[in-house]
Amino acid sequence: MADLPALLQPGDALVFNDTRVIPARLEGEYHHDGVVVRIGATLHMRTALDGWKAFVRPAKRLQRGGTIIFSGHGIELVAAVAEKGDAGEILLIFDKSGMALDAAIKLVGRMPLPPYIAARRAEDAQDRIDYQTVYAREEGAVAAPTAGLHFTIDLLKKLAEHGIEEHFITLHVGAGTFLPVRVDDTENHKMHAEIGHIDAETAERLMAVKAQGGQIIAVGTTTLRLLESATSEIGQLGAWSGATDIFITPGYQFRFVDRLITNFHLPRSTLFMLVSAFSGLETMKAAYKHAIENDYRFYSYGDASLLDRFSESRNLALR
């Protein structure tokens, strides 16, 4: 990533997702009609001041009207099972609301580390620092926008000195983003919605970058998905506030983003489909072959790539 300033041009704009990961993994006891079950819940999208959608395991025995008690650090956080959806998705309504709920989650929750890390060791205090971007500020994500983990304060300073603009938007990353595709037809895959926000001033500034000939570089697939959600069919980016479940697959016509910085993703994932749509399937196959042959690292703390849109065919891998 040290080479990034030289690979961009003055007047280009990097767009970052400034969401901040919360300790969204909760463990507790489910109570209903004398049944007590130990469960684990991963919050993935806030629905109200006192409500969150969550993936729960085991979910089979949970019923609407049951109660889950989460505890830790001397407090109890109680949630009612308000709705039960597909694949273990539950709507939880808590006995606390707003900032009081946020504070309680910080006390009883654990950082939602990727399973390949969580399976090897317990969470420690450093994870609450390491699993955040240096510019994270808007709390609400349950997974880090991992492309941003490559950026340091020093690198951001060098990019600014090179004349590269930086802009921030917010998409609260949900756990559903990383669910594998288990259907043969992608039209049958359900993307879980995520909450995002772009203010009018940022939208205007990014449109100005385009008007002046600069390129828009999305830092991460979450940034790209929100920018594309907020852009009209004629390429006009506007203010946005709400949920998006955009699912980008090969054939999608990109409206706003010119380049993408992203990590290497797993096969059969929505993320690999997105990068294949962006840079072309054959290009991505070649890039991944190169990455495997040269021992690039995959997953959240892995290596990054700088990708151009398919029509430009200038794909660069960064270590």
Side-chain angles (χ1 to χ4, degrees):
M1 291 297 286
D3 295 332
L4 186 59
L7 297 172
L8 305 180
Q9 298 296 320
D12 288 348
L14 285 163
V15 187
F16 300 91
N17 182 3
D18 65 0
T19 189
R20 187 171 185 83
V21 183
I22 64 171
R25 187 158 292 155
L26 311 177
E27 294 183 355
E29 286 186 344
Y30 166 78
H31 297 257
H32 185 65
D33 290 342
V35 174
V36 179
V37 180
R38 189 74 185 172
I39 64 98
T42 301
L43 308 177
H44 78 87
M45 189 177 79
R46 193 166 200 157
T47 61
L49 291 176
D50 61 351
W52 276 88
K53 286 188 177 181
F55 293 114
V56 177
R57 292 185 179 180
K60 184 178 292 186
R61 298 179 68 182
L62 272 63
Q63 299 296 325
R64 182 176 178 178
T67 298
I68 305 175
I69 302 174
F70 305 104
S71 60
H73 295 275
I75 72 163
E76 283 191 347
L77 179 60
V78 181
V81 178
E83 295 177 9
K84 185 176 180 181
D86 299 328
E89 187 180 32
I90 304 292
L91 174 60
L92 300 176
I93 302 299
F94 290 89
D95 64 344
K96 292 180 172 58
S97 180
M99 294 178 65
L101 176 57
D102 297 341
I105 289 173
K106 286 181 181 179
L107 289 174
V108 303
R110 296 183 292 114
M111 288 296 280
L113 296 177
Y116 56 87
I117 296 176
R120 291 174 176 265
R121 62 169 177 81
E123 175 202 355
D124 59 34
Q126 189 63 32
D127 288 319
R128 297 204 176 201
I129 300 172
D130 292 342
Y131 199 53
Q132 304 280 12
T133 62
V134 296
Y135 47 79
R137 55 192 175 201
E138 300 293 336
E139 293 192 343
V142 302
T146 53
L149 296 177
H150 299 281
F151 287 82
T152 63
I153 297 298
D154 184 59
L155 177 56
L156 292 172
K157 180 180 178 181
K158 290 179 180 177
L159 287 162
E161 291 172 348
H162 191 67
I164 309 302
E165 295 186 19
E166 63 177 32
H167 299 275
F168 298 93
I169 62 178
T170 304
L171 184 71
H172 293 312
V173 188
T177 297
F178 306 103
L179 293 178
V181 177
R182 295 191 172 94
V183 294
D184 294 328
D185 187 341
T186 56
E187 291 187 2
N188 295 324
H189 177 76
K190 177 185 176 183
M191 286 288 288
H192 291 271
E194 297 165 314
I195 302 297
H197 176 76
I198 302 174
D199 62 56
E201 182 180 359
T202 298
E204 290 174 5
R205 289 182 176 179
L206 290 174
M207 286 298 297
V209 170
K210 281 275 197 181
Q212 294 163 10
Q215 292 197 313
I216 303 297
I217 302 97
V219 179
T221 57
T222 58
T223 300
L224 181 147
R225 290 176 62 244
L226 182 56
L227 287 171
E228 291 294 318
S229 297
T231 303
S232 71
E233 292 185 0
I234 59 172
Q236 295 294 309
L237 178 68
W240 172 282
S241 187
T244 177
D245 60 358
I246 187 173
F247 182 18
I248 295 175
T249 58
Y252 176 86
Q253 298 298 310
F254 289 88
R255 303 170 180 177
F256 196 75
V257 175
D258 299 301
R259 308 180 84 179
L260 170 66
I261 295 174
T262 187
N263 287 19
F264 286 88
H265 307 293
L266 294 179
R268 291 188 65 85
S269 66
T270 61
L271 302 176
F272 183 73
M273 292 179 187
L274 184 153
V275 297
S276 296
F278 191 77
S279 292
L281 179 58
E282 294 306 314
T283 298
M284 294 315 302
K285 284 182 177 179
Y288 276 54
K289 182 176 184 292
H290 172 83
I292 292 168
E293 291 174 347
N294 289 275
D295 297 322
Y296 282 29
R297 294 166 299 169
F298 283 57
Y299 301 112
S300 295
Y301 292 117
D303 291 310
S305 58
L306 171 62
L307 305 177
D308 292 308
R309 275 165 62 169
F310 179 67
S311 60
E312 298 176 42
S313 69
R314 294 174 300 166
N315 296 290
L316 305 168
L318 301 180
R319 290 297 303 270

